[in-house]
Amino acid sequence: EAGVVQSPRYKIIEKKQPVAFWCNPISGHNTLYWYLQNLGQGPELLIRYENEEAVDDSQLPKDRFSAERLKGVDSTLKIQPAELGDSAVYLCASSFGGGLTGELFFGEGSRLTVL
Amino acid sequence: AQSVTQLDSQVPVFEEAPVELRCNYSSSVSVYLFWYVQYPNQGLQLLLKYLSGSTLVESINGFEAEFNKSQTSFHLRKPSVHISDTAEYFCAVQGTGFQKLVFGTGTRLLVSP
């Protein structure tokens, strides 16, 4: 069974440029998450989707970040414009049944460097 | 809201020695507790979890953790580590009832020969 797939694995951009990350969850998982992992920190939830609906986006900086999951399967996270402080690893995860018992399946992450 | 504290950012240990990675949590409601592991250049994966029942839970590769409600702890232990256990270990807590999963800052376990 294929795991959570993320792309790109690495991205280097200059500040003020836009960037997008893509995630394809495990087949059949209706819940999708985007997490932010800063260096030396644990993952922090940015947004959680139940199918197409964003049910928790309280931690998503909406002035520059946006996300979509149009068909309830894969998802895109966008940053426009990127700032130096956005350098981090962006993790996508999925689960079945809303993650009621906390078992999430993570992708390998997309590492962003903003110069 | 829930929070997790992992006081040790890095734990160096020799191969075949025992190890304990500490985790304390804070919550006003009942919780589920988890340890996730992140091997170099890989995504996080679930190592073990406590949902209910026996307070001692085990993983398939010899790790165990014990839920201690009075001390609000969920320390991870292994009696004899291998080089391949070198990784970052994250403790996580989730309040029961569709609460979000909250991670600690992680502990890097470094196993040397």
Side-chain angles (χ1 to χ4, degrees):
Chain A
E1 177 183 291
V4 176
V5 179
Q6 291 188 245
S7 69
R9 287 292 310 278
Y10 305 93
K11 187 74 175 180
I12 301 173
I13 60 172
E14 298 197 345
K15 64 181 180 182
K16 301 185 181 180
Q17 293 299 305
V19 64
F21 304 111
W22 175 82
C23 172
N24 193 351
I26 292 173
S27 177
H29 282 191
N30 58 319
T31 308
L32 184 146
Y33 314 75
W34 284 102
Y35 279 84
L36 167 68
Q37 187 175 16
N38 286 304
L39 186 65
Q41 301 295 315
E44 298 174 29
L45 181 68
L46 288 173
I47 189 168
R48 174 167 69 98
Y49 282 94
E50 295 291 342
N51 300 304
E52 304 89 359
E53 183 181 0
V55 296
D56 184 355
D57 64 355
S58 57
Q59 300 303 310
L60 188 72
K62 298 181 182 64
D63 57 336
R64 297 184 300 107
F65 287 66
S66 64
E68 59 183 17
R69 193 186 185 198
L70 293 176
K71 297 183 179 179
V73 181
D74 56 349
S75 175
T76 301
L77 177 70
K78 297 178 182 178
I79 308 174
Q80 182 171 10
E83 297 179 352
L84 295 177
D86 296 332
S87 295
V89 178
Y90 293 84
L91 301 170
C92 180
S94 69
S95 69
F96 178 74
L100 180 61
T101 56
E103 184 165 2
L104 276 57
F105 295 81
F106 283 84
E108 294 179 322
S110 294
R111 182 178 297 275
L112 174 66
T113 301
V114 183
L115 303 176
Chain B
Q2 291 75 45
S3 66
V4 178
T5 301
Q6 292 182 252
L7 289 174
D8 304 309
S9 60
Q10 188 165 294
V11 174
V13 64
F14 289 109
E15 192 174 21
E16 298 183 5
V19 71
E20 178 180 82
L21 306 184
R22 297 180 294 169
C23 172
N24 288 89
Y25 70 92
S26 173
S27 176
S28 58
V29 300
S30 297
V31 297
Y32 301 137
L33 293 158
F34 309 85
W35 278 98
Y36 277 79
V37 59
Q38 187 173 29
Y39 298 104
N41 297 313
Q42 295 186 26
L44 280 82
Q45 53 188 281
L46 183 66
L47 183 63
L48 48 75
K49 61 184 177 183
Y50 169 78
L51 303 180
S52 64
S54 173
T55 57
L56 184 66
V57 291
E58 300 177 351
S59 71
I60 59 174
N61 58 348
F63 282 93
E64 65 179 29
E66 186 160 20
F67 169 51
N68 188 318
K69 188 174 182 179
S70 63
Q71 297 187 4
T72 61
S73 67
F74 191 56
H75 302 329
L76 182 68
R77 302 184 182 94
K78 189 170 186 180
S80 176
V81 294
H82 302 134
I83 295 287
S84 59
D85 293 324
T86 294
E88 184 113 26
Y89 292 79
F90 293 93
C91 182
V93 63
Q94 181 184 35
T96 57
F98 285 107
Q99 302 280 330
K100 71 177 183 180
L101 192 61
V102 177
F103 288 87
T105 53
T107 297
R108 185 174 300 276
L109 177 62
L110 297 170
V111 183
S112 53

